[in-house]
Amino acid sequence: MATDKVSIHGAWVSRWVFILAATGSAVGLGNIWKFPYMTGMYGGGAFVAMYLVCIALIGVPIMLAETLIGRRGRQSPVNSMKALAAESGGSKLWPLAAVIGMVAALLILSFYSVVAGWSLDYIIGMGRGDFSGISPQGAGEAFGGLTSDPWRLTLWHTLFMVFTGFVIAKGVVAGLERSLRIMMPMLFVLLLMLLGYSLTTGHFMDGVRFLFHFDSSKVQEGILAAMGHAFFTLSVGVGSIMVYGSYMPKKSSIGATVLTVGLLDTVVALTAGLALFPIVFAAGLEPSGGPGLMFVTLPIAFGNIAFGQIAGLVFFVLVALAAWSSSISMLEPAVAYFVERTGRSRAVVTSTLAFFCWLVGMGTVLSFNVGADAKFFVFANDGFHLFQWGAEGGKNFFEGIDYLTSRLLLPLGGLSFALFAGWVMTREAVRDELSISSPVLFNVALWLIRVVAPIGVLIVFVAELTK
Ligand code: TRP
């Protein structure tokens, strides 16, 4: 198969644009919101250490696998896997992994858009000064007021989905590449501004202590969480990185590129933690987990310290940007596939798929208010129900989709991609794509993809399901 061909959708001008795009995908709500509070919850430094190991042994190898499959296939994830399975005589079922990934990415987008929409609402709120001098109770009510209002949620969800569709519809170079060249530097500048602000609060060392104190009693609880998070934060397992890999120029080393993305993602997560916790402590608050940290605790903090309103505005613009550069990577695999399959224009395919995601997202919108009683995956005394209205346990629509995707579909996808690159593609094909000159390093990379990452995934997978 000719490996120097170019995807019909376009190509990045250099590997730097791939780094920009993959980092844009990776850096998102996972880094700014989830990582800081998980670190606080699971023993600080102990968690950070485990997380780094998981990134290196599982996340980066799967990212390598996705990138090299994409770059060799030069098509949407589904068609790339089809072509490569045919090239190496592998089973025709392999592309199914990319189909599942593509659907998972659309499902993630459906709720990601709703949560990202909250940050748009908070940009307005911060700009208007709604939070200045706010009490904890007031902040709780403000958040409750937002989530209990289906119309307001729908407005922001719709707007965010339109933003996402807009970039994708314009294409790989005119849409993605051009926006990412603006979004990503802005994101870094905003993050540094926030870090600078946090240094002036006088509580910087409290933040450092909170993030890095070593509580070894929590190591066991934290290891699974660290592995799961390594997946989510690097955006692997659904084909987002694969589709970006298919636009990568041939003459660039995948290994170094992917390592850079993993490193940047980690640096952003740590910086976000270092920027946020001192602000929380400066306001005399305790860091909390869950959505409360970002949408209740931080607004109280911003509302009660000097120049907090400006810092708060910067923060929510940062969150919205990070979410935007991630959301486009969830839509791209499916758009590339349906453009290839139907021959229709990007604009038509994008609008159709964005509408579908929007519709599914309405389930999430309603799960916070009028549809809170619609429960899925209910384990009750009389057995298991996939759906039950008003059940005690179970998960609402939002929690259900989050669970289905991050606990089941992502690990399954990541496992399949690693096995495919490691065992189905020929050694020569992998060597040709990775172009690592040192035989020792090549073997290390190959065995990470073949054995270490799959075993890692299986451990998390089984442990999560039997929990
Ligand atoms: N990595 C992003 C974050 O940390 C989320 C994300 C983007 C993602 N694309 C994805 C997660 C694909 C899983 C799969 O917020």
Side-chain angles (χ1 to χ4, degrees):
M1 191 166 94
T3 51
D4 53 351
K5 66 177 198 191
V6 174
S7 163
I8 60 161
H9 309 287
W12 313 122
V13 289
S14 71
R15 77 185 182 104
W16 285 104
V17 183
F18 172 85
I19 293 180
L20 220 56
T23 307
S25 170
V27 171
L29 300 174
N31 303 62
I32 300 175
W33 157 57
K34 221 168 157 193
F35 178 79
Y37 87 71
M38 285 178 94
T39 304
M41 220 160 94
Y42 292 111
F47 179 79
V48 174
M50 285 185 295
Y51 164 84
L52 290 177
V53 171
C54 293
I55 289 280
L57 296 185
I58 305 176
V60 167
I62 295 180
M63 202 180 227
L64 263 179
E66 281 200 34
T67 313
L68 71 91
I69 296 171
R71 194 171 70 173
R72 195 166 185 84
R74 289 275 180 237
Q75 300 163 67
S76 64
V78 176
N79 284 329
S80 288
M81 286 186 82
K82 250 189 213 161
L84 296 182
E87 181 190 45
S88 54
S91 158
K92 286 204 170 78
L93 289 178
W94 282 105
L96 207 61
V99 173
I100 295 174
M102 180 172 87
V103 173
L106 295 176
L107 290 177
I108 295 174
L109 176 57
S110 80
F111 68 77
Y112 207 79
S113 166
V114 177
V115 178
W118 297 349
S119 62
L120 298 179
D121 190 281
Y122 273 70
I123 291 176
I124 305 288
M126 280 289 165
R128 254 193 334 227
D130 289 1
F131 295 94
S132 48
I134 201 158
S135 66
Q137 196 195 354
E141 281 166 8
F143 184 53
L146 170 63
T147 51
S148 63
D149 183 345
W151 294 106
R152 215 163 117 202
L153 291 181
T154 303
L155 169 76
W156 296 118
H157 166 49
T158 309
L159 205 65
F160 189 81
M161 198 61 89
V162 169
F163 286 167
T164 303
F166 183 74
V167 173
I168 292 291
K170 292 192 75 113
V172 175
V173 176
L176 288 147
E177 180 165 334
R178 199 191 282 165
S179 342
L180 285 160
R181 277 177 189 277
I182 304 168
M183 282 183 200
M184 297 311 290
M186 244 172 96
L187 198 147
F188 279 97
V189 170
L190 292 177
L191 187 62
L192 288 180
M193 276 168 68
L194 210 62
L195 184 69
Y197 172 75
S198 158
L199 280 166
T200 67
T201 58
H203 288 263
F204 191 73
M205 288 320 286
D206 293 343
V208 173
R209 225 167 288 130
F210 178 74
L211 269 183
F212 297 114
H213 78 278
F214 202 98
D215 182 353
S216 55
S217 69
K218 303 226 179 100
V219 167
Q220 232 184 345
E221 266 178 85
I223 182 112
L224 285 181
M227 281 207 228
H229 188 62
F231 256 93
F232 188 83
T233 192
L234 288 183
S235 306
V236 292
V238 299
S240 290
I241 298 299
M242 199 185 289
V243 79
Y244 281 177
S246 73
Y247 308 141
M248 189 160 153
K250 174 69 187 159
K251 275 197 196 45
S252 41
S253 134
I254 291 186
T257 309
V258 163
L259 276 178
T260 310
V261 175
L263 207 68
L264 282 173
D265 184 71
T266 305
V267 168
V268 171
L270 288 172
T271 312
L274 286 176
L276 295 182
F277 286 115
I279 297 174
V280 171
F281 290 123
L285 298 166
E286 279 303 312
S288 66
L293 176 66
M294 193 147 100
F295 295 102
V296 180
T297 311
L298 279 169
I300 307 170
F302 287 128
N304 292 285
I305 42 179
F307 303 106
Q309 197 174 325
I310 301 171
L313 187 64
V314 167
F315 173 71
F316 283 106
V317 174
L318 171 72
V319 171
L321 265 178
W324 194 9
S325 65
S326 297
S327 66
I328 52 181
S329 75
M330 300 171 195
L331 194 51
E332 182 62 22
V335 168
Y337 175 67
F338 283 103
V339 167
E340 286 163 11
R341 195 185 158 132
T342 64
R344 303 226 175 220
S345 73
R346 263 186 99 84
V348 170
V349 172
T350 305
S351 329
T352 314
L353 289 170
F355 176 74
F356 164 79
C357 290
W358 176 86
L359 205 62
V360 179
M362 285 308 293
T364 291
V365 162
L366 299 177
S367 71
F368 289 102
N369 36 71
V370 295
D373 281 337
K375 293 292 185 60
F376 300 81
F377 305 114
V378 182
F379 292 94
N381 291 337
D382 58 342
F384 174 77
H385 304 271
L386 192 58
F387 176 78
Q388 198 174 38
W389 185 268
E392 270 295 316
K395 301 182 182 336
N396 68 27
F397 189 86
F398 168 50
E399 295 160 345
I401 293 216
D402 183 22
Y403 178 82
L404 179 71
T405 50
S406 27
R407 300 289 168 89
L408 292 166
L409 302 181
L410 290 193
L412 209 62
L415 178 65
S416 317
F417 297 153
L419 292 177
F420 183 80
W423 299 99
V424 178
M425 286 174 72
T426 61
R427 207 185 159 94
E428 285 60 48
V430 173
R431 191 197 303 276
D432 182 37
E433 286 304 322
L434 286 183
S435 51
I436 298 175
S437 44
S438 143
V440 176
L441 275 183
F442 171 72
N443 275 312
V444 170
L446 189 64
W447 286 95
L448 281 174
I449 294 175
R450 283 189 161 177
V451 177
V452 179
I455 290 180
V457 177
L458 278 176
I459 294 175
V460 202
F461 203 44
V462 172
E464 286 281 1
L465 290 182
T466 52
K467 186 157 82 176

PDB file of all heavy atoms in Angstrom, residues 25-31 105 108 112 229 231-238 240 265 326-327 329-330 410, ligand 1:
ATOM      1  N   SER A  25      -7.041  18.429  21.817  1.00  0.00           N
ATOM      2  CA  SER A  25      -8.006  17.383  22.132  1.00  0.00           C
ATOM      3  C   SER A  25      -7.814  16.895  23.564  1.00  0.00           C
ATOM      4  O   SER A  25      -8.764  16.742  24.328  1.00  0.00           O
ATOM      5  CB  SER A  25      -7.815  16.219  21.152  1.00  0.00           C
ATOM      6  OG  SER A  25      -8.556  15.118  21.569  1.00  0.00           O
ATOM      7  N   ALA A  26      -6.557  16.677  23.923  1.00  0.00           N
ATOM      8  CA  ALA A  26      -6.257  16.101  25.233  1.00  0.00           C
ATOM      9  C   ALA A  26      -6.573  17.064  26.378  1.00  0.00           C
ATOM     10  O   ALA A  26      -7.158  16.685  27.390  1.00  0.00           O
ATOM     11  CB  ALA A  26      -4.789  15.685  25.281  1.00  0.00           C
ATOM     12  N   VAL A  27      -6.177  18.322  26.210  1.00  0.00           N
ATOM     13  CA  VAL A  27      -6.396  19.294  27.282  1.00  0.00           C
ATOM     14  C   VAL A  27      -7.850  19.735  27.269  1.00  0.00           C
ATOM     15  O   VAL A  27      -8.324  20.302  26.297  1.00  0.00           O
ATOM     16  CB  VAL A  27      -5.485  20.528  27.095  1.00  0.00           C
ATOM     17  CG1 VAL A  27      -5.870  21.619  28.062  1.00  0.00           C
ATOM     18  CG2 VAL A  27      -4.030  20.129  27.277  1.00  0.00           C
ATOM     19  N   GLY A  28      -8.553  19.423  28.336  1.00  0.00           N
ATOM     20  CA  GLY A  28      -9.969  19.783  28.374  1.00  0.00           C
ATOM     21  C   GLY A  28     -10.474  19.806  29.799  1.00  0.00           C
ATOM     22  O   GLY A  28      -9.699  20.011  30.744  1.00  0.00           O
ATOM     23  N   LEU A  29     -11.765  19.563  29.950  1.00  0.00           N
ATOM     24  CA  LEU A  29     -12.342  19.563  31.292  1.00  0.00           C
ATOM     25  C   LEU A  29     -11.605  18.571  32.188  1.00  0.00           C
ATOM     26  O   LEU A  29     -11.498  18.770  33.395  1.00  0.00           O
ATOM     27  CB  LEU A  29     -13.815  19.173  31.217  1.00  0.00           C
ATOM     28  CG  LEU A  29     -14.698  20.107  30.372  1.00  0.00           C
ATOM     29  CD1 LEU A  29     -16.103  19.540  30.257  1.00  0.00           C
ATOM     30  CD2 LEU A  29     -14.737  21.490  30.976  1.00  0.00           C
ATOM     31  N   GLY A  30     -11.098  17.495  31.577  1.00  0.00           N
ATOM     32  CA  GLY A  30     -10.367  16.484  32.335  1.00  0.00           C
ATOM     33  C   GLY A  30      -9.166  17.062  33.066  1.00  0.00           C
ATOM     34  O   GLY A  30      -8.880  16.681  34.201  1.00  0.00           O
ATOM     35  N   ASN A  31      -8.456  17.986  32.429  1.00  0.00           N
ATOM     36  CA  ASN A  31      -7.257  18.558  33.051  1.00  0.00           C
ATOM     37  C   ASN A  31      -7.598  19.633  34.057  1.00  0.00           C
ATOM     38  O   ASN A  31      -6.985  19.744  35.111  1.00  0.00           O
ATOM     39  CB  ASN A  31      -6.380  19.232  31.999  1.00  0.00           C
ATOM     40  CG  ASN A  31      -5.979  18.288  30.906  1.00  0.00           C
ATOM     41  OD1 ASN A  31      -6.835  17.766  30.193  1.00  0.00           O
ATOM     42  ND2 ASN A  31      -4.718  18.029  30.793  1.00  0.00           N
ATOM     43  N   ALA A 105     -17.406   8.505  20.771  1.00  0.00           N
ATOM     44  CA  ALA A 105     -16.981   9.910  20.708  1.00  0.00           C
ATOM     45  C   ALA A 105     -18.194  10.824  20.565  1.00  0.00           C
ATOM     46  O   ALA A 105     -18.270  11.878  21.203  1.00  0.00           O
ATOM     47  CB  ALA A 105     -16.012  10.119  19.550  1.00  0.00           C
ATOM     48  N   ILE A 108     -19.919  10.996  23.919  1.00  0.00           N
ATOM     49  CA  ILE A 108     -19.200  11.864  24.858  1.00  0.00           C
ATOM     50  C   ILE A 108     -19.491  13.319  24.514  1.00  0.00           C
ATOM     51  O   ILE A 108     -19.792  14.140  25.376  1.00  0.00           O
ATOM     52  CB  ILE A 108     -17.685  11.596  24.822  1.00  0.00           C
ATOM     53  CG1 ILE A 108     -17.381  10.180  25.309  1.00  0.00           C
ATOM     54  CG2 ILE A 108     -16.930  12.602  25.684  1.00  0.00           C
ATOM     55  CD1 ILE A 108     -15.925   9.775  25.174  1.00  0.00           C
ATOM     56  N   TYR A 112     -20.612  16.370  26.914  1.00  0.00           N
ATOM     57  CA  TYR A 112     -19.510  17.332  27.062  1.00  0.00           C
ATOM     58  C   TYR A 112     -19.995  18.740  26.681  1.00  0.00           C
ATOM     59  O   TYR A 112     -19.642  19.727  27.307  1.00  0.00           O
ATOM     60  CB  TYR A 112     -18.380  16.900  26.131  1.00  0.00           C
ATOM     61  CG  TYR A 112     -16.977  17.298  26.530  1.00  0.00           C
ATOM     62  CD1 TYR A 112     -16.283  16.591  27.509  1.00  0.00           C
ATOM     63  CD2 TYR A 112     -16.328  18.350  25.906  1.00  0.00           C
ATOM     64  CE1 TYR A 112     -14.988  16.926  27.847  1.00  0.00           C
ATOM     65  CE2 TYR A 112     -15.023  18.688  26.237  1.00  0.00           C
ATOM     66  CZ  TYR A 112     -14.355  17.969  27.199  1.00  0.00           C
ATOM     67  OH  TYR A 112     -13.071  18.306  27.530  1.00  0.00           O
ATOM     68  N   HIS A 229      -8.276   7.713  34.419  1.00  0.00           N
ATOM     69  CA  HIS A 229      -8.114   9.102  34.038  1.00  0.00           C
ATOM     70  C   HIS A 229      -7.068   9.276  32.941  1.00  0.00           C
ATOM     71  O   HIS A 229      -7.190  10.163  32.092  1.00  0.00           O
ATOM     72  CB  HIS A 229      -7.769   9.961  35.252  1.00  0.00           C
ATOM     73  CG  HIS A 229      -7.776  11.425  34.936  1.00  0.00           C
ATOM     74  ND1 HIS A 229      -8.924  12.065  34.520  1.00  0.00           N
ATOM     75  CD2 HIS A 229      -6.790  12.345  34.900  1.00  0.00           C
ATOM     76  CE1 HIS A 229      -8.631  13.334  34.268  1.00  0.00           C
ATOM     77  NE2 HIS A 229      -7.354  13.525  34.480  1.00  0.00           N
ATOM     78  N   PHE A 231      -6.641   7.533  30.405  1.00  0.00           N
ATOM     79  CA  PHE A 231      -7.368   7.362  29.159  1.00  0.00           C
ATOM     80  C   PHE A 231      -8.101   8.608  28.744  1.00  0.00           C
ATOM     81  O   PHE A 231      -7.975   9.095  27.639  1.00  0.00           O
ATOM     82  CB  PHE A 231      -8.469   6.318  29.380  1.00  0.00           C
ATOM     83  CG  PHE A 231      -8.137   5.024  28.800  1.00  0.00           C
ATOM     84  CD1 PHE A 231      -7.521   4.061  29.569  1.00  0.00           C
ATOM     85  CD2 PHE A 231      -8.422   4.783  27.489  1.00  0.00           C
ATOM     86  CE1 PHE A 231      -7.211   2.856  29.029  1.00  0.00           C
ATOM     87  CE2 PHE A 231      -8.117   3.570  26.942  1.00  0.00           C
ATOM     88  CZ  PHE A 231      -7.507   2.599  27.710  1.00  0.00           C
ATOM     89  N   PHE A 232      -8.935   9.055  29.673  1.00  0.00           N
ATOM     90  CA  PHE A 232      -9.824  10.159  29.361  1.00  0.00           C
ATOM     91  C   PHE A 232      -9.018  11.407  29.022  1.00  0.00           C
ATOM     92  O   PHE A 232      -9.293  12.098  28.052  1.00  0.00           O
ATOM     93  CB  PHE A 232     -10.750  10.434  30.545  1.00  0.00           C
ATOM     94  CG  PHE A 232     -11.825  11.438  30.234  1.00  0.00           C
ATOM     95  CD1 PHE A 232     -12.987  11.044  29.588  1.00  0.00           C
ATOM     96  CD2 PHE A 232     -11.664  12.771  30.555  1.00  0.00           C
ATOM     97  CE1 PHE A 232     -13.975  11.964  29.279  1.00  0.00           C
ATOM     98  CE2 PHE A 232     -12.647  13.701  30.249  1.00  0.00           C
ATOM     99  CZ  PHE A 232     -13.811  13.285  29.611  1.00  0.00           C
ATOM    100  N   THR A 233      -7.990  11.672  29.809  1.00  0.00           N
ATOM    101  CA  THR A 233      -7.271  12.930  29.642  1.00  0.00           C
ATOM    102  C   THR A 233      -6.472  12.960  28.351  1.00  0.00           C
ATOM    103  O   THR A 233      -6.231  14.019  27.791  1.00  0.00           O
ATOM    104  CB  THR A 233      -6.387  13.246  30.868  1.00  0.00           C
ATOM    105  OG1 THR A 233      -5.950  14.599  30.749  1.00  0.00           O
ATOM    106  CG2 THR A 233      -5.174  12.361  30.945  1.00  0.00           C
ATOM    107  N   LEU A 234      -6.039  11.799  27.856  1.00  0.00           N
ATOM    108  CA  LEU A 234      -5.292  11.812  26.590  1.00  0.00           C
ATOM    109  C   LEU A 234      -6.209  11.635  25.378  1.00  0.00           C
ATOM    110  O   LEU A 234      -5.749  11.580  24.248  1.00  0.00           O
ATOM    111  CB  LEU A 234      -4.213  10.728  26.594  1.00  0.00           C
ATOM    112  CG  LEU A 234      -3.008  10.976  27.502  1.00  0.00           C
ATOM    113  CD1 LEU A 234      -1.996   9.856  27.356  1.00  0.00           C
ATOM    114  CD2 LEU A 234      -2.336  12.304  27.196  1.00  0.00           C
ATOM    115  N   SER A 235      -7.503  11.534  25.599  1.00  0.00           N
ATOM    116  CA  SER A 235      -8.486  11.367  24.514  1.00  0.00           C
ATOM    117  C   SER A 235      -8.286  10.095  23.713  1.00  0.00           C
ATOM    118  O   SER A 235      -8.632  10.045  22.537  1.00  0.00           O
ATOM    119  CB  SER A 235      -8.436  12.523  23.504  1.00  0.00           C
ATOM    120  OG  SER A 235      -8.569  13.746  24.110  1.00  0.00           O
ATOM    121  N   VAL A 236      -7.696   9.064  24.312  1.00  0.00           N
ATOM    122  CA  VAL A 236      -7.484   7.853  23.518  1.00  0.00           C
ATOM    123  C   VAL A 236      -8.648   6.876  23.677  1.00  0.00           C
ATOM    124  O   VAL A 236      -9.424   6.963  24.619  1.00  0.00           O
ATOM    125  CB  VAL A 236      -6.162   7.137  23.883  1.00  0.00           C
ATOM    126  CG1 VAL A 236      -4.981   7.985  23.452  1.00  0.00           C
ATOM    127  CG2 VAL A 236      -6.089   6.794  25.340  1.00  0.00           C
ATOM    128  N   GLY A 237      -8.768   5.968  22.709  1.00  0.00           N
ATOM    129  CA  GLY A 237      -9.779   4.919  22.799  1.00  0.00           C
ATOM    130  C   GLY A 237     -10.990   5.114  21.919  1.00  0.00           C
ATOM    131  O   GLY A 237     -11.844   4.238  21.846  1.00  0.00           O
ATOM    132  N   VAL A 238     -11.107   6.269  21.248  1.00  0.00           N
ATOM    133  CA  VAL A 238     -12.285   6.457  20.402  1.00  0.00           C
ATOM    134  C   VAL A 238     -11.940   6.795  18.955  1.00  0.00           C
ATOM    135  O   VAL A 238     -12.829   6.869  18.113  1.00  0.00           O
ATOM    136  CB  VAL A 238     -13.218   7.570  20.944  1.00  0.00           C
ATOM    137  CG1 VAL A 238     -13.716   7.214  22.316  1.00  0.00           C
ATOM    138  CG2 VAL A 238     -12.534   8.916  20.935  1.00  0.00           C
ATOM    139  N   SER A 240     -10.175   9.668  18.090  1.00  0.00           N
ATOM    140  CA  SER A 240      -9.904  11.101  17.919  1.00  0.00           C
ATOM    141  C   SER A 240      -8.447  11.321  17.518  1.00  0.00           C
ATOM    142  O   SER A 240      -8.141  12.081  16.605  1.00  0.00           O
ATOM    143  CB  SER A 240     -10.156  11.856  19.224  1.00  0.00           C
ATOM    144  OG  SER A 240     -11.533  11.886  19.515  1.00  0.00           O
ATOM    145  N   ASP A 265       0.082  17.658  28.070  1.00  0.00           N
ATOM    146  CA  ASP A 265      -1.184  17.420  28.746  1.00  0.00           C
ATOM    147  C   ASP A 265      -0.977  17.357  30.260  1.00  0.00           C
ATOM    148  O   ASP A 265      -1.736  17.916  31.041  1.00  0.00           O
ATOM    149  CB  ASP A 265      -1.804  16.113  28.241  1.00  0.00           C
ATOM    150  CG  ASP A 265      -3.175  15.869  28.845  1.00  0.00           C
ATOM    151  OD1 ASP A 265      -4.106  16.596  28.472  1.00  0.00           O
ATOM    152  OD2 ASP A 265      -3.303  14.970  29.693  1.00  0.00           O
ATOM    153  N   SER A 326     -11.356  20.374  22.519  1.00  0.00           N
ATOM    154  CA  SER A 326     -11.559  18.940  22.719  1.00  0.00           C
ATOM    155  C   SER A 326     -12.791  18.460  21.960  1.00  0.00           C
ATOM    156  O   SER A 326     -12.782  17.386  21.354  1.00  0.00           O
ATOM    157  CB  SER A 326     -11.763  18.608  24.195  1.00  0.00           C
ATOM    158  OG  SER A 326     -10.618  18.924  24.926  1.00  0.00           O
ATOM    159  N   SER A 327     -13.838  19.258  21.989  1.00  0.00           N
ATOM    160  CA  SER A 327     -15.105  18.794  21.406  1.00  0.00           C
ATOM    161  C   SER A 327     -14.973  18.579  19.901  1.00  0.00           C
ATOM    162  O   SER A 327     -15.580  17.658  19.351  1.00  0.00           O
ATOM    163  CB  SER A 327     -16.232  19.774  21.717  1.00  0.00           C
ATOM    164  OG  SER A 327     -16.006  21.010  21.076  1.00  0.00           O
ATOM    165  N   SER A 329     -12.545  17.369  18.374  1.00  0.00           N
ATOM    166  CA  SER A 329     -11.904  16.074  18.094  1.00  0.00           C
ATOM    167  C   SER A 329     -12.870  14.912  18.303  1.00  0.00           C
ATOM    168  O   SER A 329     -12.594  13.792  17.893  1.00  0.00           O
ATOM    169  CB  SER A 329     -10.673  15.894  18.978  1.00  0.00           C
ATOM    170  OG  SER A 329     -11.045  15.587  20.299  1.00  0.00           O
ATOM    171  N   MET A 330     -13.986  15.152  18.963  1.00  0.00           N
ATOM    172  CA  MET A 330     -14.965  14.080  19.147  1.00  0.00           C
ATOM    173  C   MET A 330     -15.849  13.945  17.917  1.00  0.00           C
ATOM    174  O   MET A 330     -16.391  12.879  17.640  1.00  0.00           O
ATOM    175  CB  MET A 330     -15.843  14.368  20.363  1.00  0.00           C
ATOM    176  CG  MET A 330     -15.047  14.467  21.642  1.00  0.00           C
ATOM    177  SD  MET A 330     -16.090  15.051  22.985  1.00  0.00           S
ATOM    178  CE  MET A 330     -14.841  15.486  24.182  1.00  0.00           C
ATOM    179  N   LEU A 410     -14.437   3.321  26.180  1.00  0.00           N
ATOM    180  CA  LEU A 410     -13.052   3.818  26.029  1.00  0.00           C
ATOM    181  C   LEU A 410     -12.014   2.723  26.251  1.00  0.00           C
ATOM    182  O   LEU A 410     -11.132   2.533  25.418  1.00  0.00           O
ATOM    183  CB  LEU A 410     -12.755   4.988  26.975  1.00  0.00           C
ATOM    184  CG  LEU A 410     -13.419   6.323  26.733  1.00  0.00           C
ATOM    185  CD1 LEU A 410     -12.769   7.408  27.569  1.00  0.00           C
ATOM    186  CD2 LEU A 410     -13.362   6.691  25.288  1.00  0.00           C
TER     187      LEU A 410
HETATM  188  N1  TRP B   1      -9.279  14.679  26.842  1.00  0.00           N
HETATM  189  C1  TRP B   1     -10.375  15.543  27.026  1.00  0.00           C
HETATM  190  C2  TRP B   1     -10.386  16.089  28.444  1.00  0.00           C
HETATM  191  O1  TRP B   1      -9.502  15.828  29.201  1.00  0.00           O
HETATM  192  C3  TRP B   1     -11.694  14.905  26.745  1.00  0.00           C
HETATM  193  C4  TRP B   1     -11.738  14.226  25.429  1.00  0.00           C
HETATM  194  C5  TRP B   1     -11.586  14.763  24.223  1.00  0.00           C
HETATM  195  C6  TRP B   1     -11.968  12.893  25.207  1.00  0.00           C
HETATM  196  N2  TRP B   1     -11.699  13.822  23.232  1.00  0.00           N
HETATM  197  C7  TRP B   1     -11.943  12.682  23.816  1.00  0.00           C
HETATM  198  C8  TRP B   1     -12.159  11.885  26.061  1.00  0.00           C
HETATM  199  C9  TRP B   1     -12.094  11.444  23.299  1.00  0.00           C
HETATM  200  C10 TRP B   1     -12.320  10.628  25.548  1.00  0.00           C
HETATM  201  C11 TRP B   1     -12.281  10.417  24.187  1.00  0.00           C
HETATM  202  O2  TRP B   1     -11.290  16.803  28.796  1.00  0.00           O
END
